[in-house]
Amino acid sequence: MISILVAAAVGLAVALLGTPVAIRAFTLWGWGQRIREDGPHSHFEKMGTPTMGGIVILVGLVVSFIATRITLGQFTPAGVSLVLAAVGFGIVGFLDDYTKVRRRRSLGLSKSWKFLGTAVVSVIFAVIVAHYSSRTGTSTNISFLRVTGIRLGVVVFVVWAFLVLTASSHAVNITDGLDGLAAGSSIFVLSAYVFIAFWQFRHTCEGLAGASACYPVNLRALQDAAVVSAGMMGSVAGFLWWNAAPARIFMGDTGSLALGGFFGALAITTNTQLLLVILGGLYVIETASVILQVISFRGFHRRIFRMSPIHHHFELLGWPEFTVIVRFWIIAGLCVAVGLGLYYADFIARGGLG
């Protein structure tokens, strides 16, 4: 528990104190946000706001992870793989952001290069957790509230992990369109995973053979998963202080891809892959709005929404940006509450005692 608090505190301090430094540096270097020309007119005033703030979030994550080694000791495959997943997706996002800044346009890397980058990071992560499965506690079966009986095998598991990480990374990326929307909603999901990892850590099956409510996973792996989640949560909270409307800095794809990839990695590591669909319900809604818009326009030449993702639709309906943000935060919180409720109900139904 102390390590979890240390990770959160260090991540918070690094992001809270480091973001103003990043704002000044990025402004000096000309790393300003590019705005979609077809977006809401109110967004044009954000042109030039420093972006790539996700760098600060990742620095906070790495520093908090290293700081907790004082109390936890050696590095574990579980903790290292989670940090590598976040940093790897962050690098892909940084290249996308830097391309936008360099070419002075709102489009960055091509879809092919973005797909290749996320594929490489996802495969590396999947291979690590599968190879060290006894030390990471990761099952190659499909999981929901816990591991199911559906076996995938190592090769199919790697493909499945790629789908989970890529889908979650792009879902958060799509959601990152308003000041503090992605950061604020991410804190809810990260808090949920701090709880889930710590709950599994306190209810492992070690010494409890035959208990159906316990979790047959590695103690050190779960401890590190909780610690890394707390470090990321603290970092995002510190960044949100400066990213809240009106934002003084944006996380960019550097931050949104890193967060989304990190969520997918956490879902794989804690064996709650399909539960992420509920915990990240807001991201599912945002992504679904884009998919439905594309299908409707290409198939029927009509738009369902005034603009997608759906948060822009409500802006164009006349909702103030801050109203959209807060209401979407509420949706994110409700999705996490439902997900955790199901998770706890499963534990109780199997005879567990809280």
Side-chain angles (χ1 to χ4, degrees), residues 13 22 25 41 54 96 152 166 186-187 204 233 266 269 285 287 297 322 333:
H41 295 297
D96 188 46
L152 297 177
T166 300
S186 293
I187 292 175
T204 59
M233 182 182 67
L266 280 171
T269 305
I285 293 170
T287 304
F297 185 73
F322 190 71

Side-chain angles (χ1 to χ4, degrees), residues 7-303:
V10 172
L12 176 66
V14 170
L16 193 60
L17 301 177
T19 303
V21 177
I23 292 172
R24 289 192 290 270
F26 295 173
T27 301
L28 181 64
W29 298 338
W31 289 4
Q33 178 72 27
R34 312 305 299 179
I35 304 297
R36 286 174 55 179
E37 294 181 359
D38 61 340
H41 295 297
S42 60
H43 285 208
F44 286 104
E45 64 186 32
K46 301 179 182 182
M47 179 78 77
T49 301
T51 186
M52 300 190 226
I55 294 174
V56 181
I57 295 175
L58 290 173
V59 170
L61 170 66
V62 173
V63 173
S64 66
F65 180 59
I66 294 174
T68 55
R69 298 310 96 183
I70 298 174
T71 55
L72 292 180
Q74 64 182 7
F75 295 93
T76 66
V80 171
S81 62
L82 286 170
V83 173
L84 285 178
V87 173
F89 275 89
I91 290 174
V92 176
F94 172 79
L95 293 175
D96 188 46
D97 286 331
Y98 189 73
T99 301
K100 295 174 186 177
V101 171
R102 187 74 178 270
R103 297 180 179 177
R104 297 182 180 277
R105 64 180 191 180
S106 60
L107 298 176
L109 293 176
S110 66
K111 293 180 180 179
S112 298
W113 281 108
K114 216 170 189 179
F115 178 84
L116 178 61
T118 54
V120 169
V121 178
S122 300
V123 169
I124 292 175
F125 168 80
V127 170
I128 292 175
V129 296
H131 181 72
Y132 294 100
S133 59
S134 62
R135 297 174 63 186
T136 61
T138 303
S139 171
T140 54
N141 290 17
I142 287 181
S143 59
F144 178 33
L145 300 170
R146 59 178 67 231
V147 177
T148 69
I150 304 176
R151 297 180 181 277
L152 297 177
V154 176
V155 176
V156 179
F157 170 75
V158 171
V159 176
W160 172 244
F162 160 70
L163 293 175
V164 172
L165 269 68
T166 300
S168 61
S169 64
H170 287 290
V172 177
N173 184 233
I174 287 171
T175 305
D176 183 31
L178 301 178
D179 297 358
L181 177 57
S185 58
S186 293
I187 292 175
F188 287 110
V189 180
L190 289 167
S191 300
Y193 272 111
V194 172
F195 171 82
I196 288 172
F198 186 71
W199 187 263
Q200 291 183 4
F201 170 73
R202 293 295 302 272
H203 299 88
T204 59
C205 293
E206 294 186 12
L208 296 173
S212 63
C214 63
Y215 302 92
V217 285
N218 185 280
L219 276 172
R220 285 298 306 277
L222 290 171
Q223 189 176 29
D224 252 13
V227 166
V228 177
S229 300
M232 179 67 95
M233 182 182 67
S235 297
V236 175
F239 176 78
L240 180 59
W241 181 271
W242 306 99
N243 180 234
R248 293 184 56 188
I249 187 172
F250 301 130
M251 68 168 64
D253 285 8
T254 308
S256 59
L257 287 181
L259 281 170
F262 186 69
F263 293 158
L266 280 171
I268 295 289
T269 305
T270 59
N271 298 312
T272 55
Q273 301 153 12
L274 298 180
L275 180 61
L276 180 59
V277 176
I278 299 175
L279 295 175
L282 174 64
Y283 310 128
V284 175
I285 293 170
E286 292 272 18
T287 304
S289 71
V290 174
I291 294 173
L292 291 173
Q293 185 85 322
V294 171
I295 293 175
S296 177
F297 185 73
R298 291 184 178 179
F300 306 99
H301 305 290
R302 298 186 63 180
R303 289 183 172 86

